Structure formats: structure tokens, C-alpha cells
Amino acid sequence: NGNKITIQHLMDNTSGLPRRLEGNFDFFSMEVPEIIDLIKNIPLEFEPGTDTRYSNLGYEVLYYIIYKVSDKPFSQYVQDEIFDKLGMVNSGAHFYSTKKNLTKFAYYHTLENDSIVEIDHFDKERNRQANLYATTEDLMKLMNYISKEPFASALKNEKNIIGHSGGSKGIRSHVQTNISKDYSFAFLCNY
């Protein structure tokens, strides 16, 4: 469906691609072209641009596009073009960063049978393309940077807020900048 889906659709989660692939895939051991080949063969859930649904698969395609354009894996591109340039010295990518700055790694946890247990943060449902890490201090550097032009007008919503939430099993995060009220915060949680 590459003739229907635009980069903007992928960025806005309006591509029609499902959230994830159904089935028992070991994404962690798959190479990017293998994942893209799987994505190529799945039906769309709706026509691009007609609805909104968060899609991890859409982001996989975006990561691949960045790789094709820059000739760098997505995570290495982010390291070179964002983390290094903004002085985000406690941020990186598990598989592409050469920095050994994970001295205080926050392990993932979940609740099982009324007990908090550690879970594998490299399980087979995740893949290697992103797997980024950061600290709240580094995220504030990023939010400060993008809350200025030319990024602010492109990223802010109707309430002058730039933000993003995300997570997976055992982790959650939210970053937000309110441009009008001049405040920002980063929230990271490992349970």
C-alpha cells in the first residue's frame, strides 16, 4: 500500500496499518528488511487518512525510511543528530550507542500474583530498531529545544502543548511542554 500511505499518514497514525502484527514473531532477532516484508503483506484496517489508530508498524516503516535516507539505522541517526547535538549525554540506543552510560539502569517490572517482578526488557515482541533510553534531565533538553521555532509551531496542538506518551510492558513515559504557560515535565516509570 505504499502508493496510498504517505509519510504524514505514518507520523499521524492515520496509515491504516494495524498496531502490531498478529502471530508469534520473534522481532528481537529479525533484521529490519524482514520486518518490512511482513508489514508489506498485511491488510490495512482502514483507508489511509480516514481514521486514526496508533501503529507500531507505522513507526517501523518510518524508522526504515530514515535508514534509507540517512544510511544509518534509526537509533544511530537519533544518537548522532539529536542526542549528541543537544548534549543528551545520558541518552542512547541499546544496540547502536557505543557509550557505556547505563550505570543506573531502571529495570522493567510488572505485577504478577500480587508481587512486583522484574521482566525482560529485551523480549521477543520488541525489536532492535528503537530501544532508546534517556533520563528526565536529557528529555528536558529535548523538550526545551523543540519548544522553540521552527519546531514549536509544527509540533504544538491547539492548546499550545507538545507532548508524547508511550510505554510497553513494565515501562511508561510522558513528556510535555506547555508553551503558553511555560512549563515542561518528563515522567518515567518502570512499573
Side-chain angles (χ1 to χ4, degrees):
N1 292 295
N3 59 332
K4 297 179 187 178
I5 299 172
T6 66
I7 290 173
Q8 193 68 52
H9 288 140
L10 295 168
M11 291 173 31
D12 294 340
N13 290 300
T14 59
S15 67
L17 290 170
R19 181 176 180 92
R20 63 177 43 108
L21 289 170
E22 297 301 323
N24 191 17
F25 298 101
D26 184 355
F27 293 114
F28 194 73
S29 66
M30 295 175 81
E31 296 297 326
V32 175
E34 294 174 286
I35 295 170
I36 296 300
D37 283 342
L38 287 172
I39 294 170
K40 286 180 185 177
N41 295 315
I42 58 174
L44 296 177
E45 293 185 340
F46 53 84
E47 282 298 307
T50 63
D51 202 352
T52 302
R53 180 168 187 200
Y54 181 83
S55 174
N56 289 324
L57 303 181
Y59 283 102
E60 292 298 321
V61 175
L62 284 169
Y63 302 155
Y64 184 68
I65 291 168
I66 290 169
Y67 163 71
K68 295 299 277 184
V69 170
S70 70
D71 200 30
K72 293 180 184 179
F74 170 74
S75 295
Q76 186 64 55
Y77 182 85
V78 171
Q79 183 70 51
D80 294 346
E81 301 299 324
I82 299 173
F83 296 159
D84 290 348
K85 288 184 177 180
L86 296 182
M88 296 173 67
V89 297
N90 294 306
S91 299
H94 290 289
F95 298 102
Y96 299 103
S97 176
T98 58
K99 296 179 182 178
K100 303 297 180 202
N101 55 4
L102 292 175
T103 58
K104 296 180 182 176
F105 186 77
Y107 291 91
Y108 301 4
H109 292 84
T110 192
L111 186 64
E112 289 181 8
N113 302 320
D114 295 328
S115 296
I116 297 175
V117 296
E118 184 180 320
I119 60 173
D120 185 2
H121 63 280
F122 294 129
D123 83 17
K124 68 179 188 163
E125 290 185 13
R126 294 185 175 94
N127 70 49
R128 294 175 291 171
Q129 281 200 79
N131 259 293
L132 304 175
Y133 59 86
T135 62
T136 53
E137 293 84 4
D138 276 2
L139 289 171
M140 288 292 83
K141 291 177 184 178
L142 175 65
M143 297 307 285
N144 183 50
Y145 183 73
I146 66 173
S147 66
K148 296 174 178 59
E149 294 303 334
F151 307 107
S153 49
L155 297 173
K156 68 182 181 180
N157 67 15
E158 65 281 349
K159 295 180 181 178
N160 283 329
I161 294 173
I162 300 170
H164 184 75
S165 295
S168 191
K169 186 176 180 183
I171 55 170
R172 292 285 175 261
S173 65
H174 182 79
V175 291
Q176 181 172 308
T177 293
N178 186 315
I179 296 169
S180 300
K181 296 183 179 179
D182 193 29
Y183 74 82
S184 298
F185 70 89
F187 174 79
L188 303 176
C189 178
N190 65 332
Y191 167 67

